[in-house]
Amino acid sequence: MRSKRIAVFSPAGLPLFVGLLTGGLGTNAKAQAFQELLEQGSAGLQVLALDSERGLRENSLLNPGNRIARLPAGQTEVEGRLDLKLATDTFEVSLKPRARFEWRRFGETGPETRLDAWVNQGLVTLYPVQSLAVSLGRDVLMWGPSNFRSPSNPIYFENGRNNPMRELRGVDVAQATWSPTQALSLSLLHQFGDGRGDWQWEKEDGFKALSLLKVDYTAEASVVGLNASKRWAHERPHFGAFGQTTVGEALLLYAEGGLRQGTSALYPERLPNAVGGAFLPRHARDHRLIYSALAGGGYTLDSGHTVYLEYLSNNEGYRWADGARYFDIATRASSVLTLPSPDAALAGQTLGAALNNGLPLLGRHYLFMQVQNNPTDTGPTWQLRYSLNLVDGSGQASAYAEWNVWSRVALFALGVIHHGGPRTEFHSLLSQSILVGARGYVL
């Protein structure tokens, strides 16, 4: 049960809303119009309570003694998710405020508490004509069929599908979508905020505004999407594309990619200093083509379970020599940091740059597999995922399950195991983690 529909009436539309705002209706008419407007809305309220425990990697080269990343060993959370929506034939208003209380446990240093409240999504959409939609507010802009990452999306390369209980943070956008036919749509949008209160059109550091043009075409068994975008802070354009097609009743094939020139990511360079090097923006101003391309498919078994297999190539990631240099510098910095030294500050800054190097993925070649059960099955729903770095051999395996134990209560659990050596991507910070919790539908 996701939301409570208050009622379903034929939409009163924008004239009714305008009449309410301008006072053009009598008192009784206003009351009746307001009631009719409310009856076209829906409301949903979820409350989640969860606890997670992390197994931090001992003797981590990137995070010695947990002094750099400061990852909590455990965390208890309570989160409320309110979803409100009002829809007519000429406009739609949606609001999704969130509130979360966190109790983070850091072992010997003691716990920390945090209380946050924010609007994850809030959007006003107008339909001046049947084929045109104009919206303003905060939204999550997702597209593409991929499960591992979304290389065609310049906003959400990390698509959030590794943890079904976490929501992606909305961004502040103005958008217009024109659909001249049922198969074709063209969208123009401008992202003017990052969803965290930073509303700036141009900024040298931190958030950078983005403008994007997107075209989507839907055929009987296929979908194709193209987009071009630019961040307005001296960055070159980004081009993205995805396509998917259904072969028969059981097989889905798809591909997705992104392309641009240059990258502001940090790369390891050897220098004659105490830690043996630094992380610098090697390709920030060159014309090198940076691409990320994914090819995959999904096959539905007779049981209804679906198996997905994907391969990602990403030339923004480190080559083998860069990866070795990355951990060489981290090893030197970690050694300096663990002993009293006048170079401790440099070592800490270097490890901080290593963890925040601007790369969504450290390597260049990945294999991903996912198996999920038929969502229409009775009993629990489950999902198994495995990601493998084909260069350093490290990997991450996860299992998620959710049980509807009552009409308004569900239990869920997520377990993650990392494998690889200390100089590998997936096993450099964490060894394992587990999350368990419950979700209640109040409305």
Side-chain angles (χ1 to χ4, degrees):
M1 182 176 180
R2 300 289 178 181
S3 63
K4 178 181 179 182
R5 186 70 181 178
I6 299 174
V8 178
F9 280 70
S10 60
L14 191 59
L16 176 60
F17 186 62
V18 173
L20 284 170
L21 293 179
T22 60
L25 301 174
T27 303
N28 293 335
K30 279 185 179 181
Q32 182 179 357
F34 185 69
Q35 181 62 30
E36 290 180 3
L37 200 61
L38 286 180
E39 287 170 343
Q40 297 171 58
S42 63
L45 175 60
Q46 299 180 36
V47 178
L48 293 86
L50 56 94
D51 185 82
S52 59
E53 299 293 332
R54 295 186 180 95
L56 304 182
R57 174 160 189 123
E58 297 182 2
N59 303 319
S60 170
L61 300 176
L62 299 174
N63 187 34
N66 199 23
R67 296 169 61 180
I68 307 301
R70 292 204 74 244
L71 298 173
Q75 185 167 310
T76 302
E77 304 173 34
V78 178
E79 181 175 326
R81 298 177 179 176
L82 178 63
D83 295 347
L84 302 173
K85 185 176 182 179
L86 176 63
T88 75
D89 56 345
T90 52
F91 75 91
E92 183 176 304
V93 180
S94 63
L95 185 66
K96 296 185 178 183
R98 304 292 188 249
R100 179 191 298 151
F101 172 77
E102 298 179 354
W103 180 41
R104 301 176 179 180
R105 302 180 292 279
F106 290 90
E108 296 180 358
T109 61
E112 296 179 2
T113 59
R114 179 172 178 173
L115 179 63
D116 287 326
W118 71 99
V119 175
N120 201 59
Q121 292 176 258
L123 201 65
V124 177
T125 304
L126 301 179
Y127 305 99
V129 295
Q130 187 175 5
S131 60
L132 181 63
V134 180
S135 59
L136 177 66
R138 184 170 294 175
D139 200 7
V140 175
L141 305 171
M142 290 293 299
W143 59 78
S146 306
N147 292 290
F148 179 52
R149 296 294 190 275
S150 294
S152 70
N153 193 323
I155 302 175
Y156 295 106
F157 182 83
E158 299 279 353
N159 56 26
R161 294 174 182 172
N162 60 327
N163 186 345
M165 298 312 301
R166 296 296 186 192
E167 292 184 312
L168 287 173
R169 195 93 177 211
V171 296
D172 304 308
V173 295
Q175 180 174 356
T177 300
W178 179 49
S179 303
T181 68
Q182 290 185 345
L184 179 65
S185 68
L186 295 89
S187 299
L188 178 64
L189 68 87
H190 184 79
Q191 179 199 351
F192 58 88
D194 60 359
R196 294 171 173 81
D198 196 349
W199 294 0
Q200 298 188 21
W201 296 88
E202 282 195 46
K203 191 176 180 182
E204 292 300 322
D205 299 313
F207 169 71
K208 301 175 180 67
L210 175 140
S211 296
L212 182 143
L213 175 65
K214 185 163 70 78
V215 180
D216 295 292
Y217 182 79
T218 303
E220 183 176 353
S222 304
V223 179
V224 176
L226 303 172
N227 69 79
S229 64
K230 186 183 189 308
R231 290 200 178 273
W232 295 102
H234 313 297
E235 288 193 10
R236 299 182 180 96
H238 173 278
F239 300 95
F242 73 87
Q244 68 178 57
T245 185
T246 302
V247 182
E249 297 182 354
L251 181 62
L252 174 69
L253 299 177
Y254 50 86
E256 189 171 352
L259 178 70
R260 71 180 188 275
Q261 282 186 319
T263 174
S264 59
L266 304 180
Y267 291 80
E269 304 289 353
R270 296 198 185 278
L271 295 175
N273 57 22
V275 296
F279 297 95
L280 304 174
R282 181 190 300 169
H283 303 294
R285 299 185 181 278
D286 62 24
H287 297 282
R288 179 189 183 194
L289 289 177
I290 302 295
Y291 71 85
S292 182
L294 182 146
Y299 186 79
T300 302
L301 306 174
D302 292 338
S303 62
H305 301 350
T306 304
V307 181
Y308 294 95
L309 186 64
E310 299 176 358
Y311 165 75
L312 176 71
S313 178
N314 167 53
N315 78 332
E316 187 180 18
Y318 292 159
R319 297 177 182 271
W320 185 89
D322 283 329
R325 190 179 304 123
Y326 174 86
F327 282 105
D328 287 344
I329 296 173
T331 301
R332 290 274 298 273
S334 180
S335 299
V336 171
L337 195 63
T338 54
L339 299 173
S341 170
D343 298 310
L346 173 63
Q349 293 171 2
T350 301
L351 291 175
L355 289 175
N356 297 281
N357 56 14
L359 289 175
L361 291 168
L362 202 62
R364 291 193 161 207
H365 302 282
Y366 294 85
L367 192 64
F368 171 81
M369 185 176 183
Q370 175 175 301
V371 182
Q372 63 187 42
N373 74 327
N374 189 339
T376 63
D377 285 350
T378 58
T381 60
W382 53 265
Q383 181 184 94
L384 305 176
R385 294 168 60 99
Y386 179 70
S387 306
L388 175 66
N389 184 321
L390 293 173
V391 176
D392 67 19
S394 64
Q396 174 182 284
S398 67
Y400 173 80
E402 183 172 344
W403 301 264
N404 289 315
V405 296
W406 191 47
S407 61
R408 291 181 177 270
V409 177
L411 303 178
F412 55 85
L414 173 67
V416 182
I417 296 177
H418 306 258
H419 72 82
R423 296 168 60 95
T424 60
E425 178 178 15
F426 285 117
H427 204 194
S428 57
L429 294 176
L430 298 173
S431 295
Q432 67 274 331
S433 64
I434 187 169
L435 180 152
V436 295
R439 172 167 52 187
Y441 299 98
V442 181
L443 292 177

